[in-house]
Amino acid sequence: MKAIRVHKFGDPDVMKLVDALDPRPGENQVTVRIRSAGVNPVEAYMRAGIYAQKPDLPYTPGTDGAGEVISIGPGVTEFDIGDRVFTIGSVSGTYAEIALCRVDQLLPLPDNITYPQGASLGIPYRTAYRALFQKAFAVAGETVLIHGGSGGVGTAAIQLARAAGCRVFATAGTSKGLELVHSLGADQVFNHNQPGYLDNVRNLTEGRGANIVIEMLANVNLANDLTILSPGGRVVIIGSRGQIKIDPRRIMANEIVVTGMLLFHTTSKEANSINTAIITGLSNGTLIPVIGKEYSLHKAPHAHQAVMSPGAYGKIVLLP
Ligand code: NAP
């Protein structure tokens, strides 16, 4: 099979397309013919060698993908050959024509969801769900600002928050991104590259402020988030790429909860409810992943450049 292999950490070009042996499933494992693999920022941080967890070299990147089961190992009763599945993890990496996965790293892909859409679920939708409902405890009627609504996690968060009956405000940095978040049903949209873009949030919430901020770039936005939250508001930090000075008095005065989330800390009980909610939302049509860019497998370096560039539009995927 063809696979992307990283032999040293560095620029996107360290990802090389190679011929590799087809993986074989062991006990409670299957192999999946990967039709599409999701590209996430974390894979770019890992490839660059700047992420806290460094994989052993050489390795094949990727945890998200979708395709069909092509072989099953001893003890597997949950899946059959030919089943359409999406991955939420992989033993061997999903930037490849075939990925080895444990059965607990697979979920059934509903018939109405394409493979690229299936490859958009693992990290982005689970992160968005955890942030909204397991960290911010969002409920119907609350106003949620998705700060960074145009990318993989942001588009998922808009759909999930709307399906839960929240009022959704969302930001993007380009006119295309603003159109996208609007088309997904955001009630108000803001361009996070325009000065003073949050000035109107209080007016739009009858002076109260937003109940929740889902934050993709805390090192830029956290100080401002604290100015637009209602009393008892919550901000969940999903992404941050540096440091920021904040005024703790704002947290005190409004009894704001500032919290963070890391998908890898999800317990198996929490994961069960996340997975159930996502499969239900896919099946009933409230969750429809948006694909912005598709690249052939050998163009993985281009995909990493794109995922780290401004101008997000839904999800970037590879087509092995
Ligand atoms: P993505 O698809 O590349 O999207 C990035 C988003 O950030 C886009 O909506 C982008 O908007 C937005 N952005 C850029 N500048 C911004 C600003 N000044 N203020 C607010 N938003 C801004 O990435 P993703 O997959 O959605 O991931 C988003 C972030 O969450 C990344 O930093 C990622 O590493 C992190 N993440 C963390 C976890 C976790 O477990 N904690 C899990 C998944 C992702 P424009 O491009 O339109 O400007």
Side-chain angles (χ1 to χ4, degrees):
M1 68 159 179
K2 300 279 185 201
I4 293 291
R5 199 56 55 90
V6 175
H7 281 268
K8 60 174 183 179
F9 298 116
D11 291 340
D13 287 342
V14 299
M15 290 188 288
K16 306 287 185 201
L17 187 69
V18 300
D19 287 308
L21 289 176
D22 290 4
R24 296 167 69 118
E27 201 165 341
N28 292 319
Q29 293 180 332
V30 309
T31 59
V32 179
R33 170 75 178 92
I34 297 291
R35 302 288 177 184
S36 184
V39 175
N40 294 286
V42 67
E43 290 132 31
Y45 314 147
M46 279 187 182
R47 182 221 71 235
I50 58 171
Y51 197 64
Q53 291 163 319
K54 288 192 181 54
D56 293 335
L57 294 168
Y59 75 100
T60 294
T63 56
D64 293 355
E68 310 101 39
V69 172
I70 54 171
S71 69
I72 57 178
V76 174
T77 54
E78 297 87 340
F79 296 98
D80 275 327
I81 289 172
D83 283 355
R84 296 173 88 245
V85 292
F86 68 95
T87 68
I88 57 172
S90 169
V91 176
S92 62
T94 55
Y95 289 18
E97 289 178 336
I98 301 172
L100 179 67
C101 298
R102 299 191 310 267
V103 286
D104 65 343
Q105 295 173 320
L106 292 185
L107 290 165
L109 186 67
D111 288 341
N112 57 326
I113 301 299
T114 66
Y115 290 126
Q117 289 175 327
S120 308
L121 300 169
I123 290 181
Y125 275 74
R126 290 187 307 138
T127 296
Y129 186 93
R130 179 165 174 77
L132 281 165
F133 305 114
Q134 296 180 341
K135 293 296 169 182
F137 306 106
V139 294
E142 290 193 304
T143 300
V144 180
L145 171 69
I146 314 292
H147 215 163
S150 49
V153 178
T155 49
I158 294 170
Q159 294 176 1
L160 284 161
R162 267 184 54 86
C166 296
R167 187 175 177 214
V168 176
F169 293 0
T171 78
T174 63
S175 50
K176 231 180 133 198
L178 290 165
E179 275 167 34
L180 172 64
V181 299
H182 184 66
S183 73
L184 294 176
D187 300 281
Q188 299 288 338
V189 304
F190 309 93
N191 185 331
H192 50 234
N193 293 324
Q194 274 176 6
Y197 67 96
L198 294 177
D199 289 353
N200 226 8
V201 168
R202 282 205 181 274
N203 285 340
L204 292 166
T205 52
E206 292 76 45
R208 287 191 304 273
N211 301 102
I212 294 168
V213 176
I214 300 297
E215 183 54 63
M216 306 301 162
L217 201 57
N219 57 301
V220 173
N221 296 323
L222 184 57
N224 287 337
D225 292 342
L226 300 178
T227 69
I228 54 111
L229 278 162
S230 65
R234 294 86 82 196
V235 51
V236 183
I237 298 170
I238 293 183
S240 187
R241 294 178 180 171
Q243 298 187 346
I244 184 169
K245 189 172 157 191
I246 61 161
D247 180 359
R249 180 171 287 272
R250 291 197 176 271
I251 298 176
M252 177 190 75
N254 272 330
E255 298 194 324
I256 288 168
V257 176
V258 177
T259 188
M261 61 122 330
L262 197 61
L263 186 59
F264 303 120
H265 292 319
T266 308
T267 65
S268 58
K269 190 173 168 209
E270 290 167 333
N272 283 341
S273 40
I274 294 175
N275 298 341
T276 303
I278 290 172
I279 289 174
T280 303
L282 294 170
S283 302
N284 69 22
T286 52
L287 305 182
I288 306 173
V290 177
I291 308 303
K293 289 187 179 138
E294 298 180 336
Y295 293 88
S296 307
L297 189 57
H298 73 280
K299 291 274 174 85
H302 290 80
H304 272 206
Q305 273 156 2
V307 82
M308 295 306 290
S309 301
Y313 191 94
K315 191 69 208 166
I316 296 170
V317 297
L318 298 172
L319 302 177

